[in-house]
Each structure stands twice: as C-alpha cells, then as structure tokens.
C-alpha cells in the first residue's frame, strides 16, 4: 500500500520528483544504511579496530566518490541521450563499475570475512529501495517514458523491492528453503536489470539504438531520474553479487 501510495503521489504531483528532493533523500538514506551496515558487520568479525576502520574506509570512500561523480554528471546533463554516432555515456556508467567492482568483491578475503559475519538477510532487505524504480511506471503513465522500456524496468524493480523483505525474513528465520529463495531472488533482480538495461540501450539515441520510440527517450537521462540507471543499477548489481557470494559461502560451510 505504501508503494502504491508513493506512485500515485508522484503521478498527481510530478513536481515532487522533478525537484530532486525525494531522490536526494533516498540516495543519502541508502548510502548511510550501507555505511552503517558495513560497520556493524565489521564489528561482528575478529578484526581489530584499526583493521575494521581500514576495510570500512577502503569500501566507503570510493563508494562515496563514485556517487559524487555520478550525481555531478547527472546535474550537468551528461547522461542525456542525443542523436549521433557516439557511444551513449549511460551504459558506460552502468557497466564500468560492475566490471571493475565484481572481481574485487568476489576475490577479496576481507570482504569474505565481512560476509561470513553479516546476517544473510541484511543485503537482501536493503534492496527494498528497488520499489522506487516505479518512477518509470509513473513516467509511462504520464506519456514521458517509452512503454517497452518503462514497463519491464518499473514492474521488475517494484517486484524485486516488494519481495526483498519476505525473502530476508525467510533467511532470518533460517528455514530449509531460505538459501534457495535468496538465490532465486538475486537471480530475478539481475534478470530485471538485464532486461531494463537492454531495452534502455536499444531505445536511446546513439550508436547502439535499434528501436526508435514514439516517445523521445530523454526522461531516463534527465536528473534526478537518471540516478537510478547511472548509480542505483550498478550499485544494486554489486549488492546482488555480494549476496550471491555470501549465500554460496554459507551453503559451502554447511
């Protein structure tokens, strides 16, 4: 009901989202939650304070700088798609952090220690924020976003966010099928991104465009909506990667 109410509010009062205040509040809230959750997880490890602080800073500082760079680029309309032969900047903002971050998060022994100490429910429950991807559905309803992109992207995000807390609850209660539910949830979330990124890329002006939509594809490149694909998507993909690694380690540990 809260999700539906939020979508209706954005539909009837589009100036709320256009102001950037909800996006700023959400992004900062998620950032603080990740920073706090990481520190709480580090406190569960056997690392001494200096080691915990080193690991925390090594992860949070680049994460914060990444957000600052993307936010600044979004404000200055760097991600607005434009006709031409150049490579659209938005796919680069999505894939480069994932390509760089995935091997680092999968191979780091320190990260493995943190994942072993952290409850498996945390990383999944955190992504309840995915319900805010429903902003694409609002854009579609208002005739601002191309339906073949907005519908799978918005519905997939909202579904992933709504399922996050029930799956996290299963993991917290330790039921027999909880680990499998966590894996399936992560796969669903990643497939949602694969579909949304593909549709967004092939419908946006640029060298990768294959479909010319009847609605100019500029909404996804405009601030503040662009923060979703430019930052929230790659950071969420990395959270999925971490969650899958954590669930795999727990299953291997027996």
């Amino acid at each position: 009901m809260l999700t539906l109410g939020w979508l209706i509010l954005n539909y009837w009062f589009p100036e709320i989202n256009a102001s950037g205040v909800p996006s700023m509040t959400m992004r900062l809230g998620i950032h603080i939650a990740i920073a706090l959750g990481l520190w709480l997880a580090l406190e569960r490890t056997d690392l001494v304070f200096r080691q915990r602080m080193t690991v925390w800073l090594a992860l949070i500082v680049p994460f914060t700088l990444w957000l600052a760079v993307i936010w600044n680029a979004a404000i200055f309309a760097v991600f607005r798609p434009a006709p031409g032969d150049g490579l659209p900047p938005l796919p680069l903002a999505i894939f480069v952090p994932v390509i760089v971050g995935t091997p680092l998060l999968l191979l780091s022994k320190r990260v493995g220690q943190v994942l072993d100490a952290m409850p498996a429910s945390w990383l999944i429950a955190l992504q309840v924020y995915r319900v805010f991807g429903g902003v694409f559905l609002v854009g579609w309803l208002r005739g601002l976003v191309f339906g073949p992109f907005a519908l799978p992207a918005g519905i997939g995000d909202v579904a992933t966010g709504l399922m996050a807390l029930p799956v996290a609850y299963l993991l917290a209660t330790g039921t027999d099928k909880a680990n499998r539910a966590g894996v399936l949830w992560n796969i669903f979330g990643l497939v949602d991104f694969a579909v949304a990124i593909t549709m967004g890329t092939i419908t946006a002006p640029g060298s990768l465009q294959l479909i010319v939509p009847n609605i100019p594809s500029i909404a996804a490149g405009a601030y503040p909506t662009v923060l979703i694909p430019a930052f929230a998507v790659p950071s969420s993909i990395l959270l999925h990667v971490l969650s899958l690694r954590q669930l795999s380690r727990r299953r291997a540990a027996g």
Side-chain angles (χ1 to χ4, degrees):
M1 290 300 294
L2 290 175
T3 301
L4 180 61
W6 178 81
L7 293 177
I8 293 174
L9 187 66
N10 275 267
Y11 177 79
W12 286 110
F13 302 99
E15 61 272 13
I16 295 177
N17 185 62
S19 70
V21 174
S23 179
M24 178 180 68
T25 303
M26 179 184 66
R27 289 261 58 88
L28 292 178
I30 295 170
H31 207 78
I32 292 171
I34 290 175
L36 179 60
L38 175 60
W39 183 256
L40 293 176
L42 283 165
E43 287 192 327
R44 290 168 170 258
T45 67
D46 296 328
L47 301 176
V48 299
F49 178 81
R50 179 175 295 181
Q51 292 173 317
R52 296 199 302 269
M53 181 59 69
T54 299
V55 174
W56 189 81
L57 290 174
L59 293 172
I60 292 301
V61 169
F63 185 58
T64 303
L65 291 176
W66 173 27
L67 174 59
V69 169
I70 294 298
W71 207 318
N72 186 68
I75 291 175
F76 286 95
V78 171
F79 300 112
R80 277 188 177 271
D85 297 328
L87 185 66
L90 192 52
L92 293 176
I94 296 172
F95 289 113
V96 170
V98 173
I99 292 171
V100 173
T102 296
L104 294 176
L105 295 177
L106 288 178
L107 299 176
S108 170
K109 293 182 179 180
R110 289 296 194 211
V111 171
Q113 285 180 282
V114 175
L115 293 176
D116 290 341
M118 179 190 299
S121 58
W122 287 11
L123 286 173
I124 292 179
L126 175 64
Q127 289 209 56
V128 68
Y129 66 75
R130 293 277 288 277
V131 297
F132 292 108
V135 68
F136 293 117
L137 297 177
V138 174
W140 169 68
L141 288 172
R142 297 187 62 85
L144 300 175
V145 185
F146 189 44
F149 162 72
L151 290 174
I155 293 173
D157 258 1
V158 171
T160 302
L162 290 177
M163 290 190 295
L165 292 182
V167 173
Y169 176 77
L170 286 176
L171 285 165
T173 55
T175 60
D176 294 337
K177 297 182 180 180
N179 204 79
R180 179 178 296 181
V183 171
L184 290 175
W185 177 85
N186 277 294
I187 292 174
F188 180 87
L190 289 171
V191 170
D192 165 48
F193 282 143
V195 173
I197 292 170
T198 300
M199 290 305 301
T201 300
I202 66 176
T203 59
S207 59
L208 301 178
Q209 185 177 28
L210 300 178
I211 300 173
V212 180
N214 57 351
I215 300 174
S217 183
I218 60 172
Y223 179 83
T225 307
V226 72
L227 288 174
I228 295 177
F231 183 79
V233 168
S235 58
S236 294
I237 291 174
L238 293 176
L239 288 175
H240 279 302
V241 168
L242 285 171
S243 180
L244 286 170
R245 183 185 181 188
Q246 183 184 40
L247 293 171
S248 176
R249 290 172 70 93
R250 288 173 180 269
R251 184 172 62 249

